[in-house]
Amino acid sequence: MHPHQTSAGDARHASAMNVDDPARIARDFELEYAAAFNRRDALALAALFIEDATIVTEWGDVVEGRDAFARGLTSAFERVPRSLTLENTLSHARLVADGVIVSHGSSNRSDTTTWTADHLTFTRVLVRRGDMWRLAANHVSEASTRGDPRTARQ
């Protein structure tokens, strides 16, 4: 075998590792998500969702369906300052079934004009559609304002 060739078994193993590496898939997804948000591209952001996706926003409302999400984003992006940017950081991702990844992480939205920021957490369910990964469910929440009982002094 030529030094740069791989056996069929090696190729299958490498392919399986690339396709089913949940952390890499989720990180790539988060980069694409934040890039679309930062461009204020509602259609590109909505395209990351499956048609009947369910989204729970940080305000607690439930948005059902990619089209409803796209309409909401289009309206919101008209009022969101260009100086507001989003950065998502993945903290955990795991394959829970064939073609299904659950991921958790944090979103930091910051505005360089007003120097304000908010920190949110998310849980996402990604599903494989052909060779693409799309969002089926998304829950975003604000961090608790209560003290952490694990670190509170008695």
Side-chain angles (χ1 to χ4, degrees):
M1 186 180 316
H2 188 274
H4 297 292
Q5 290 179 320
T6 59
S7 71
D10 290 343
R12 278 191 306 273
H13 178 69
S15 176
M17 290 299 289
N18 290 337
V19 171
D20 292 333
D21 178 359
R24 181 194 55 79
I25 292 164
R27 272 192 305 273
D28 289 350
F29 181 88
E30 294 308 330
L31 289 172
E32 192 173 357
Y33 187 103
F37 180 96
N38 291 334
R39 289 191 313 269
R40 304 300 186 267
D41 190 341
L43 295 179
L45 193 52
L48 296 175
F49 290 75
I50 64 171
E51 189 173 321
D52 59 348
T54 304
I55 302 103
V56 178
T57 71
E58 63 267 34
W59 300 283
D61 43 321
V62 177
V63 180
E64 295 185 58
R66 179 175 49 213
D67 292 341
F69 185 62
R71 284 190 305 274
L73 281 173
T74 300
S75 175
F77 282 161
E78 292 172 0
R79 294 183 298 279
V80 172
R82 300 294 288 168
S83 55
L84 183 74
T85 59
L86 175 71
E87 181 180 356
N88 292 336
T89 304
L90 181 70
S91 59
H92 178 76
R94 89 182 165 96
L95 198 64
V96 295
D98 187 35
V100 180
I101 294 172
V102 172
S103 67
H104 307 280
S106 60
S107 294
N108 293 309
R109 293 184 299 200
S110 56
D111 188 327
T112 57
T113 303
T114 62
W115 297 106
T116 57
D118 58 347
H119 307 287
L120 308 168
T121 60
F122 62 79
T123 297
R124 305 197 203 283
V125 177
L126 302 174
V127 294
R128 186 175 16 220
R129 294 290 191 254
D131 62 347
M132 308 291 284
W133 287 88
R134 294 293 174 245
L135 200 53
N138 186 36
H139 187 174
V140 179
S141 61
E142 291 185 341
S144 174
T145 57
R146 293 179 176 258
D148 185 341
R150 298 170 297 177
T151 58
R153 294 184 189 253
Q154 300 271 343

